[in-house]
Amino acid sequence: MAEPGEGCAEPEVREPRLRDTPEDICFEATANAIALHPERPLLAAGDVDGDVYLYSYSCTEGENRQLWSSGHHLKSCRDVAFSQDGQRQGCARPDGGGGTAGNPHPQGPRHTLATGDDGGTLKLWDLRKGSAVLEARQHEEFISAMAVDAHGKILLSASGDGTLGVFNVRRRRFELLSEPQNGDLTSVVLLKRGKKVACGSSEGTIYLFNWDGFGAASDRFALRAESVDCMVPVTDSIVCVGSLDGVIRAVNVLPSRVLGCVGQHPAEPIERLALAPGGQLLASCAHDQKVKFWDVSALGTMVVDDYRKKKKKGGPLRALSAKAAASCQEFFADLRDEAKAAAGSDGDSSD
């Protein structure tokens, strides 16, 4: 007779797997705005239904958790942001929630917030008073993105009218407007220790401005991409760029090179990118109703010299991580097939 317990082996408990990046976070509607906490592994997201969510994320399998969500609003959430100290979270909606419609950015002093709306109006808010201390309508189209210098003095705004706006936060006044560029300006970031400003455009071009020369672009770099819809700096020279084709590219600025593919939302336009504290993880959201995470740690050690190797036109981008290789393989295989088909048709016509 079997002793008690014999033949009744306890089920094996599998330890949670440690991943290179957190698992995808899926939403019921398209998430068109994300932000990462400046110190803790927290992600804020807003969707087209007007819901705002707060998640904790982890590289341990199954450890992503929804911590909080808001109720439905009348309009979509356009953007979300954490304050610089991480103590506050803000969002912007066309119905006036969180200020005016547009992009909330904790700029300058801790009590200051900047927003931009669809009509091109920029407002600077004093959170202690709950009112705007600066209101300026210098742009003729929507304000798509904003950035501030390290001293919290100068605020830059990118607009759908193709111009870059310059505002003095401390003196609370408008300074100047750049010459219009081709296409909408969709994003703006500071690089090269604040000496250069890079703006993405709907035409797939990155425009560069000198810090002391905002009137006209000093240089430009056209990507082989449909657009530059969003952009986030990873190092002092390297930015990650999201495009309509769903591919996230890593781009070095001056010398200007496309370094490779960070990841992809297959055939789904990228809405926003956000970098985690430490610069090891990049988060992205797109029209596939997912937030994905990508390992960008390799970008911190990359060095780009002025020598440029000649690349075969239509060739695939270098995958910058194992996950990126799996994600981007199919997309660039399709590109190669299209390039071969085009080459074949050209050859027939030349004969």
Side-chain angles (χ1 to χ4, degrees):
M1 185 174 180
E3 294 293 330
E6 285 187 9
C8 301
E10 294 184 3
E12 182 181 353
V13 178
R14 186 175 68 87
E15 291 293 328
R17 184 166 64 96
L18 190 64
R19 301 164 49 94
D20 292 334
T21 61
E23 296 175 287
D24 297 350
I25 298 176
C26 300
F27 296 86
E28 295 182 0
T30 298
N32 54 3
I34 56 173
L36 298 181
H37 193 279
E39 296 178 355
R40 301 165 57 191
L42 298 175
L43 176 140
D47 67 21
V48 295
D49 288 340
D51 288 329
V52 179
Y53 299 89
L54 183 66
Y55 277 84
S56 64
Y57 61 89
S58 171
C59 289
T60 302
E61 189 177 47
E63 286 297 310
N64 291 346
R65 295 282 187 271
Q66 180 181 316
L67 305 178
W68 174 85
S69 67
S70 69
H72 286 284
H73 293 80
L74 296 178
K75 302 291 185 177
S76 67
C77 177
R78 296 289 183 83
D79 210 345
V80 292
F82 287 102
S83 62
Q84 292 174 342
D85 59 7
Q87 297 300 310
R88 298 184 181 185
Q89 175 188 334
C91 63
R93 303 185 185 92
D95 59 5
T100 58
N103 300 50
H105 289 265
Q107 309 292 5
R110 292 178 59 182
H111 57 266
T112 304
L113 179 78
T115 61
D117 68 18
D118 288 344
T121 299
L122 182 141
K123 290 184 180 181
L124 196 64
W125 301 81
D126 188 326
L127 298 180
R128 298 169 301 181
K129 300 178 181 178
S131 59
V133 294
L134 170 66
E135 181 173 348
R137 190 182 184 280
Q138 303 297 328
H139 295 293
E140 297 180 359
E141 296 289 345
F142 61 90
I143 294 176
S144 56
M146 287 178 282
V148 70
D149 72 324
H151 304 292
K153 179 182 177 181
I154 300 298
L155 174 68
L156 305 173
S157 58
S159 172
D161 62 11
T163 63
L164 176 68
V166 183
F167 299 83
N168 192 310
V169 175
R170 292 182 181 175
R171 296 184 179 180
R172 299 176 181 177
R173 71 184 188 191
F174 165 74
E175 295 285 349
L176 63 92
L177 209 62
S178 75
E179 295 178 351
Q181 314 303 318
N182 293 329
D184 306 341
L185 291 190
T186 58
S187 47
V188 55
V189 299
L190 276 68
L191 298 169
K192 305 291 185 180
R193 299 182 181 178
K195 296 180 180 179
K196 293 286 184 179
V197 173
C199 292
S201 81
S202 60
E203 301 296 313
T205 299
I206 295 177
Y207 293 95
L208 299 177
F209 295 83
N210 294 323
W211 184 256
D212 57 353
F214 292 119
S218 62
D219 203 353
R220 65 192 66 193
F221 178 46
L223 308 182
R224 282 200 299 121
E226 294 181 56
S227 61
V228 176
D229 291 328
C230 51
M231 186 162 53
V232 63
V234 179
T235 72
D236 207 34
S237 300
I238 297 174
V239 295
C240 284
V241 170
S243 177
L244 278 172
D245 58 18
V247 177
I248 305 168
R249 295 166 172 83
V251 179
N252 190 86
V253 173
L254 297 178
S256 297
R257 307 277 191 277
V258 176
L259 303 178
C261 173
V262 169
Q264 182 199 15
H265 293 253
E268 300 288 350
I270 307 294
E271 286 285 349
R272 289 287 189 274
L273 300 172
L275 189 68
Q280 305 294 304
L281 285 176
L282 182 78
S284 60
C285 64
H287 290 192
D288 55 6
Q289 301 175 204
K290 294 179 181 179
V291 169
K292 295 185 177 185
F293 295 87
W294 311 96
D295 180 6
V296 292
S297 57
L299 297 180
T301 60
M302 296 187 75
V303 178
V304 181
D305 57 32
D306 290 329
Y307 176 70
R308 186 168 189 174
K309 295 180 181 179
K310 188 175 181 180
K311 289 185 65 176
K312 186 176 180 181
K313 188 174 182 181
L317 290 179
R318 171 187 176 187
L320 298 175
S321 70
K323 184 179 178 182
S327 171
C328 297
Q329 184 177 8
E330 182 179 351
F331 174 80
F332 290 106
D334 292 341
L335 276 187
R336 288 194 296 272
D337 292 341
E338 291 176 6
K340 288 179 181 178
S345 62
D346 290 345
D348 293 341
S349 60
S350 62
D351 290 340

